[in-house]
Amino acid sequence: MPAVLAAAAAVLAPAGPSHAEAAGLTSTEVTFTGNGGVVLHGTVLAGPGATGRRPGLVMLEGAGNRGRDYLRPDAEAYARRGVVTLIYDKRTAGYSLLHRDYSVLADDALAGLMLLRARPDVDPARLGFWALSEGAFAAPIAASRSEDVKFLITVGAVGTTPAAETAWEYDEYLRHAGVTGAVSRGLREAVLPAAVDAGLFAESGFDPAPLWRRVRQPVLAEWGELDRDSVPAESMRIMRDALDAGGNTRYKLRVVPGVNHNLHVTAAGGFDRRPTLPGDAAEVEVAWMRSAAIVDAGATGPALPAEGGTPASDSSAAAVGPAPWYHRTWPFLVTTLLLLAGFLAAPLRRRGGRTRAVWLTRWLAAAGPAVVVGTLAYLMFLLATAGKVTGPLVLGRPVPWLALELLTVATTAAGIAAAVSWWRSGRGRRDRVRLGLSVGAALLLLPWVASWGLLAP
C-alpha cells in the first residue's frame, strides 16, 4: 500500500447543527491526506442509537467536482440505516477535463477508507466503497490494492471506455430533446474524436473490464431502470463477463425500477438530476452489506441473476474511432488559420464607382470568421455540456446550429458572387490577389464546416 495512505486523518469538531444532526444523525468534519500529499476534506455521517461496530462506507463521486453535498442525501440514507458513511470533496489538484488519473483517485479513496477503519464504531470486516458512475473506474483499482476493502457497491457503473459511453450519451440526450441525427453524428463521429486527438478528453480510452476481472471482493452492481448515461445494458453484460472470467462468484447485478442514473427519483424519464431519493433508498444495499457473503471469503455458488428486469435504454455503444487526418491537431490548426487569414486579409479599398467587389469582400471578412469561430465555439459548448443543453429547435436543429448552417450557405454564395466580380473587375494584380484570398477562403469554408457535421441532412 502506498505510504501516503498511512497519513493520519485530522478530525475537526462540527461547526454547528446541520441538516443531518436535525435528522438525528451525527456529522463530523474530517480531513485526510490523499495521493501526492493532497489534503482532502470530508464529512462522516453516523446514525443514532446503535452500539458496537457498524458497517462503513466510503462514497466516491461521479465525474466532475460537485462537492460532497451532492452525495449527502445518499449518505444520510445509509447513515439512518446504521452505516457509518464518509463523503468527501474530490481533489482539484490533478483532476480536470484535461487531466485525470483513476489510479490517483483510487489512492484518495483508500486514504478515506483508512480513516473510517480507524474509527472505533466501524467494523473492519464490513468496510467498503459505494461508487457512482466515474467513481466505479477508481473503485476496482482501489479494491485490487488493499485487502481492507471488503466489498464494492457501484451505481451506474460504465463498462465501456469513457469515449464510447460519452458518444452513446450524446445520442440519448439529443434524441430525447428532439434534435435530428445530423447533430448527434457530428458530435460522435467528428467533434469527439478530434477532442480526444487534441488531448481534451483525459482517460478517454480507459478500459474497466480488466480491472473487474481482478476484483475478488463481493460486488453489488446497480443501474437505474431509467439510466440514460452509462450504457446500462451493455455495461451490465461487460461487468458480468469480467467478474465471471476472474472467478468471482460473490456478485449481484440489480436494476432498480423507476429511477435514473444515480438511483434518484426522476420526473423526466431519467433525463434529469433531482436530489430526491425513493423511500426505500439504501434498504436493499444495507441488507446485502450485512449478509454473510461479505465476511465469508469462502462463500461459493453461482452469481445471483440480475434483479428488476432490464434497463429502458438497451442499445450498445459504438467505439469512437480515430480522428481523420484533417481533424488532427496540426492540420486542423493550419486549415483554421488559413481560413481566418483569407477572410481577414482580403477586403478591397473602394475605387471609383466599382463597389460590388468591395462590399462582398468586406461582408466576407465579417461573416467568414463568424462562421469559423461560431462553429468551433458551439461545438465545444455541446461537447462540454454532453449535449444536454440545446436550447430552442427549428426543424429538429438547435437554433445556433441552424444559424451557422444558413450563414455558411450565405458566405459561400457571397464568395461565388465575389469570384464573378473578380473576373469582371479588371482590377490590378494586388487587388486580384486579395480578392482571390477571400474567394478561396469562402470556397474552403463549405467542406470545412461539412467535416464537422453541419449541412448534413
Side-chain angles (χ1 to χ4, degrees):
M1 181 183 301
V4 67
L5 301 181
V11 182
L12 309 177
S18 65
H19 176 270
E21 291 167 329
L25 306 178
T26 61
S27 174
T28 306
E29 301 304 303
V30 299
T31 62
F32 57 98
T33 304
N35 181 286
V38 173
V39 176
L40 301 170
H41 300 268
T43 303
V44 175
L45 297 167
T51 59
R53 292 181 177 268
R54 316 177 196 181
L57 199 62
V58 177
M59 307 193 83
L60 279 64
E61 187 182 354
N65 293 85
R66 296 179 178 89
R68 75 192 90 160
D69 285 342
Y70 184 74
L71 297 181
R72 195 175 191 102
D74 302 87
E76 291 182 357
Y78 279 95
R80 283 193 296 270
R81 296 184 184 275
V83 179
V84 180
T85 307
L86 169 65
I87 50 177
Y88 61 96
D89 299 328
K90 186 185 290 185
R91 65 171 50 233
T92 55
Y95 180 89
S96 67
L97 183 65
L98 302 180
H99 176 74
R100 66 189 63 187
D101 187 330
Y102 297 137
S103 177
V104 169
L105 297 182
D107 281 349
D108 291 347
L110 284 173
L113 192 88
M114 292 301 97
L115 182 150
L116 283 190
R117 195 178 191 282
R119 288 176 58 103
D121 57 347
V122 171
D123 180 2
R126 301 183 190 275
L127 181 59
F129 293 127
W130 180 100
L132 171 64
S133 196
E134 185 186 68
F137 289 143
I141 300 176
S144 69
R145 291 178 178 173
S146 175
E147 295 181 355
D148 290 319
V149 181
K150 301 304 181 184
F151 65 85
L152 296 173
I153 298 174
T154 65
V155 173
V158 177
T160 68
T161 66
E165 177 268 332
T166 299
W168 182 90
E169 184 182 0
Y170 286 159
D171 195 52
E172 281 283 299
Y173 277 83
L174 289 171
R175 283 192 293 107
H176 172 72
V179 178
T180 60
V183 180
S184 176
R185 286 196 305 274
L187 280 175
R188 291 183 284 112
E189 299 174 7
V191 182
L192 189 59
V196 171
D197 184 77
L200 301 179
F201 192 160
E203 295 275 28
S204 60
F206 183 87
D207 182 4
L211 299 172
W212 288 110
R213 286 196 289 270
R214 296 199 298 267
V215 170
R216 299 294 177 262
Q217 295 92 334
V219 176
L220 172 59
E222 300 182 301
W223 290 267
E225 178 189 12
L226 302 176
D227 186 332
R228 310 294 182 174
D229 296 69
S230 70
V231 203
E234 184 177 12
S235 294
M236 288 179 66
R237 177 185 58 77
I238 290 172
M239 186 175 290
R240 177 191 291 112
D241 291 348
L243 290 168
D244 286 344
N248 190 337
T249 62
R250 295 186 296 163
Y251 71 82
K252 179 178 182 179
L253 308 180
R254 179 174 179 241
V255 177
V256 184
V259 294
N260 62 13
H261 174 58
N262 53 356
L263 306 189
H264 286 197
V265 173
T266 173
F271 292 99
D272 55 0
R273 285 290 183 277
R274 304 175 70 195
T276 307
L277 289 168
D280 62 350
E283 181 178 325
V284 171
E285 295 85 348
V286 171
W288 178 82
M289 290 166 61
R290 295 182 181 278
S291 68
I294 300 299
V295 294
D296 182 7
T300 59
L304 296 174
E307 292 184 352
T310 58
S313 295
D314 60 358
S315 58
S316 298
V320 175
W325 69 266
Y326 47 82
H327 281 168
R328 292 176 184 168
T329 304
W330 284 110
F332 160 73
L333 288 175
V334 170
T335 305
T336 304
L337 290 175
L338 284 175
L339 279 171
L340 294 173
F343 283 124
L344 296 174
L348 304 178
R349 297 177 181 176
R350 186 184 300 273
R351 290 185 181 179
R354 295 173 180 171
T355 62
R356 181 176 177 80
V358 173
W359 181 86
L360 285 170
T361 56
R362 290 181 177 177
W363 193 89
L364 288 172
V371 173
V372 173
V373 175
T375 297
L376 295 177
Y378 187 61
L379 292 178
M380 287 302 298
F381 171 78
L382 289 177
L383 189 71
T385 60
K388 296 176 183 177
V389 181
T390 59
L393 305 179
V394 175
L395 301 176
R397 280 162 152 76
V399 168
W401 184 283
L402 182 61
L404 288 166
E405 291 180 315
L406 295 176
L407 191 56
T408 297
V409 172
T411 302
T412 302
I416 295 172
V420 174
S421 178
W422 173 24
W423 180 260
R424 296 176 177 175
S425 66
R427 289 177 173 273
R429 180 177 178 181
R430 181 179 178 184
D431 279 351
R432 287 185 176 222
V433 170
R434 297 174 70 186
L435 186 55
L437 289 172
S438 185
V439 170
L443 297 178
L444 178 61
L445 181 66
L446 192 64
W448 184 87
V449 165
S451 75
W452 295 113
L454 275 79
L455 305 177

